């Protein structure tokens, strides 16, 4: 069966769409018109994203092929989707494997691309007041993890078949193995050790988004592995969300600004600041005062993040924050997100500039019209100047960093 797949949202959504494609037993079609079935994997995190996806669902429904709408928005907005596409079949995140609940005993097969994305777990230990994902995928202590043996076996096969980047992802990847109480090898650092020990070959591992209050529990072990083995990207994505303890309390986040600050300082100290730290910030959360907002700005300036994903608060269905008092006007959210984004970009440029003159080994992940782009050892993007303009996706290149912009490093072949 020829299936046209369109995915919105996180890498876990992309991995789930691959799993569904496998279960439906299809081959990818390049366009809705060429397909027997259209699979739209959706995301519920943001209001503006919801509007875009509903419009797309109407468009795809008009193509006249069988339409499957899967994922978080299918679960959060089933009636709204059915109004837009009455004939659509809905598949919720927990039904991706075919049953009523995820067993995590099935992983997507490697599809021949550079990156093999492994959905290690679903669920989380948080209960954040703004988050719809805890409703669509489970949260507040619900965690399901893929068995370590299954993960290692799939990674081994993928690397043998050509994968050069292993992306370990999930809803909150650091909670991996909580359902086995993190014992018997069921935790992220032990799994990393096993993969590095048992999977031979040239590849890189990227660790997905981790909630800071859980990451702290495994930080020493993970930092030790990263120091020892250059196959693990020196890259951490640790959402802070706000620089104000009062706002963190209203968000239901389980750390203070000081605890978060200590974690980031530890990571940078242990890795001699040879690391890429990304974070998420929400501006305009209900009750966020001007003073709270500037606390967030100050924290971004102090901790010098390499990347800040800035989101304007967006009230989501079934969340406490959607009905909280002191909602911030949209025009004010816009002003605040512009300020943080500009400061974050300036800092990113500074941080990239500090890499000029260094040597690095770059994994090529894109070759386009003679432009060779790849990832440095801390996952920074590097545009590599090659006299011959040739480049092979999956190749490792020795490069000297000669220049920097807020987004890219510019490298010359050594
Ligand atoms: S934001 Fe909070 S509730 Fe949502 S997935 Fe992350 S930890 Fe869980």
């Amino acid at each position: 069966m020829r299936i046209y797949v369109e995915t919105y949202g996180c890498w876990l959504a992309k991995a789930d769409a691959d799993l569904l494609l496998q279960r439906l037993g299809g081959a990818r079609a390049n366009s809705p018109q060429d397909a027997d079935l259209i699979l739209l994997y959706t995301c519920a995190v943001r209001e503006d994203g919801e509007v875009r996806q509903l419009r797309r669902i109407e468009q795809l429904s008009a193509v006249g092929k069988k339409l499957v709408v899967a994922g978080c928005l299918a679960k959060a907005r089933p009636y709204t989707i059915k109004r837009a596409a009455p004939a659509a079949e809905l598949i919720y995140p927990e039904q991706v494997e075919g049953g009523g609940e995820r067993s995590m005993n099935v992983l997507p097969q490697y599809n021949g691309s550079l990156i093999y994305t492994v959905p290690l777990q679903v669920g989380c230990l948080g209960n954040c007041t703004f988050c719809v994902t805890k409703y669509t995928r489970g949260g507040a202590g619900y965690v399901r993890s893929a068995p370590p043996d299954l993960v290692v076996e799939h990674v081994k096969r993928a690397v043998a078949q050509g994968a050069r980047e292993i992306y370990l992802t999930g809803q909150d990847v650091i909670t991996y193995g909580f359902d086995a109480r993190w014992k018997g090898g069921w935790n992220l650092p032990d799994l990393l050790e096993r993969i590095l020990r048992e999977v031979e070959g040239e590849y890189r591992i990227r660790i997905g988004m981790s909630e800071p209050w859980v990451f702290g529990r495994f930080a020493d072990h993970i930092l030790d592995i990263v120091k020892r083995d250059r196959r693990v990207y020196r890259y951490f994505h640790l959402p802070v969300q706000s620089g104000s303890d009062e706002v963190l309390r209203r968000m239901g986040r389980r750390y203070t600004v000081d605890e978060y600050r200590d974690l980031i300082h530890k990571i940078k100290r242990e890795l001699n600041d040879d690391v890429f730290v990304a974070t998420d910030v929400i501006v305009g959360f209900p009750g966020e005062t001007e003073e709270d907002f500037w606390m967030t700005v100050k924290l971004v300036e102090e901790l010098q993040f390499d990347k800040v994903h800035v989101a304007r608060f967006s009230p989501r269905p079934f969340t406490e924050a959607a009905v909280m008092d002191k909602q911030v006007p949209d025009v004010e959210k816009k002003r605040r997100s512009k300020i943080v984004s500009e400061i974050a970009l300036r800092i990113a440029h500074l941080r990239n500039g500090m890499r000029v003159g260094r040597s690095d080994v770059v994994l090529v992940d894109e070759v386009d019209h003679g432009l060779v782009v790849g990832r440095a050892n801390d996952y920074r993007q590097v545009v590599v100047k090659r006299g011959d303009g040739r480049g092979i996706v999956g190749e490792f290149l020795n490069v000297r960093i000669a220049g920097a912009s807020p987004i890219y490093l510019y490298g010359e072949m050594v």
Side-chain angles (χ1 to χ4, degrees):
M1 182 160 60
R2 299 182 52 73
I3 302 182
Y4 173 74
V5 183
E6 213 168 285
T7 307
Y8 293 78
C10 60
W11 283 87
L12 184 54
K14 292 183 176 64
D16 278 0
D18 282 348
L19 259 181
L20 257 179
L21 181 71
Q22 254 163 243
R23 179 160 75 77
L24 295 168
R28 277 181 195 270
N30 293 328
S31 76
Q33 289 70 22
D34 295 347
D36 307 304
L37 182 147
I38 298 170
L39 167 60
L40 188 74
Y41 202 97
T42 62
C43 168
V45 166
R46 299 185 48 72
E47 196 172 15
D48 51 1
E50 174 180 326
V51 172
R52 266 199 313 280
Q53 290 168 83
L54 286 172
R55 203 178 305 128
R56 187 64 179 143
I57 288 167
E58 277 170 7
Q59 286 168 354
L60 291 171
S61 166
V63 174
K65 304 287 173 74
K66 180 167 175 47
L67 175 63
V68 172
V69 179
C72 293
L73 195 65
K75 178 134 185 208
R77 295 286 197 206
Y79 302 103
T80 313
I81 291 171
K82 277 291 193 179
R83 263 200 306 281
E89 179 192 340
L90 303 188
I91 296 182
Y92 296 165
E94 67 270 23
Q95 300 167 325
V96 164
E97 295 170 17
E101 193 185 351
R102 296 295 291 266
S103 71
M104 299 305 287
N105 289 328
V106 189
L107 288 176
Q109 297 299 332
Y110 172 57
N111 61 11
S113 64
L114 176 81
I115 304 172
Y116 177 48
T117 302
V118 193
L120 286 186
Q121 57 78 232
V122 291
C124 72
L125 300 180
N127 193 8
C128 307
T129 58
F130 55 82
C131 181
V132 69
T133 315
K134 68 181 183 197
Y135 166 78
T136 57
R137 283 185 177 279
Y142 167 87
V143 173
R144 284 290 173 279
S145 307
D149 293 350
L150 184 73
V151 174
V152 174
E153 178 207 317
H154 275 69
V155 169
K156 206 179 272 179
R157 198 181 307 140
V159 170
Q161 293 172 359
R164 287 292 166 267
E165 180 179 314
I166 305 301
Y167 183 36
L168 303 178
T169 190
Q171 193 175 329
D172 178 8
V173 76
I174 197 67
T175 63
Y176 173 72
F178 174 77
D179 35 334
R181 295 297 173 263
W182 287 317
K183 296 212 167 20
W186 286 69
N187 62 64
L188 189 62
D190 285 351
L191 180 69
L192 272 175
E193 299 267 26
R194 263 197 75 181
I195 293 172
L196 294 165
R197 197 172 52 244
E198 298 179 25
V199 181
E200 288 168 14
E202 271 281 356
Y203 58 91
R204 295 256 175 89
I205 299 176
R206 182 156 70 105
I207 299 171
M209 193 281 292
S210 300
E211 291 294 351
W213 72 85
V214 186
F215 187 89
R217 184 192 175 105
F218 298 104
D220 291 333
H221 193 172
I222 290 176
L223 292 172
D224 179 53
I225 296 169
V226 170
K227 274 191 257 180
R228 259 188 290 125
D229 201 315
R230 283 268 161 177
R231 288 176 292 175
V232 183
Y233 279 121
R234 292 176 163 227
Y235 168 94
F236 297 107
H237 180 187
L238 299 158
V240 66
Q241 305 298 10
S242 175
S244 152
D245 281 328
E246 174 50 25
V247 175
L248 289 179
R249 189 188 62 72
R250 287 170 71 90
M251 286 177 166
R253 303 291 283 171
R254 296 171 53 185
Y255 52 86
T256 64
V257 174
D258 280 346
E259 286 161 348
Y260 185 86
R261 179 185 279 122
D262 291 346
L263 176 63
I264 301 302
H265 282 316
K266 173 186 191 132
I267 291 171
K268 289 192 174 197
R269 190 177 58 247
E270 292 291 323
L271 299 179
N272 302 321
D273 202 15
D274 180 10
V275 62
F276 187 106
V277 179
T279 195
D280 301 351
V281 159
I282 295 175
V283 295
F285 187 82
E288 182 188 65
T289 62
E290 185 68 9
E291 196 194 346
D292 293 322
F293 168 65
W294 284 103
M295 287 180 191
T296 299
V297 173
K298 291 240 160 350
L299 190 69
V300 166
E301 288 174 330
E302 179 201 331
L303 297 181
Q304 297 277 293
F305 295 105
D306 297 279
K307 174 85 181 153
V308 181
H309 304 105
V310 181
R312 293 178 222 160
F313 171 73
S314 154
R316 301 312 293 135
F318 314 107
T319 63
E320 299 89 333
V323 291
M324 273 183 188
D325 58 350
K326 300 181 189 155
Q327 296 282 333
V328 176
D330 284 348
V331 64
E332 184 50 25
K333 289 180 197 169
K334 221 174 185 165
R335 183 186 74 88
R336 292 178 187 182
S337 85
K338 186 167 180 298
I339 291 170
V340 180
S341 303
E342 285 170 1
I343 290 170
L345 209 59
R346 204 172 54 241
I347 293 169
H349 195 176
L350 271 175
R351 299 267 311 157
N352 277 352
M354 290 157 60
R355 266 85 196 148
V356 173
R358 291 191 183 189
S359 298
D360 211 319
V361 179
V362 171
L363 170 58
V364 176
D365 60 5
E366 197 187 335
V367 178
D368 186 13
H369 296 90
L371 200 64
V372 177
V373 183
R375 299 284 175 171
N377 187 260
D378 59 4
Y379 202 64
R380 250 165 254 275
Q381 281 196 292
V382 185
V383 179
V384 182
K385 202 164 79 198
R386 286 193 68 147
D388 55 13
R390 273 181 327 100
I392 302 164
V393 170
E395 200 181 4
F396 290 90
L397 303 176
N398 291 313
V399 164
R400 193 182 70 77
I401 306 302
S405 78
I407 312 290
Y408 293 101
L409 299 177
Y410 299 96
E412 293 162 352
M413 294 287 294
V414 175

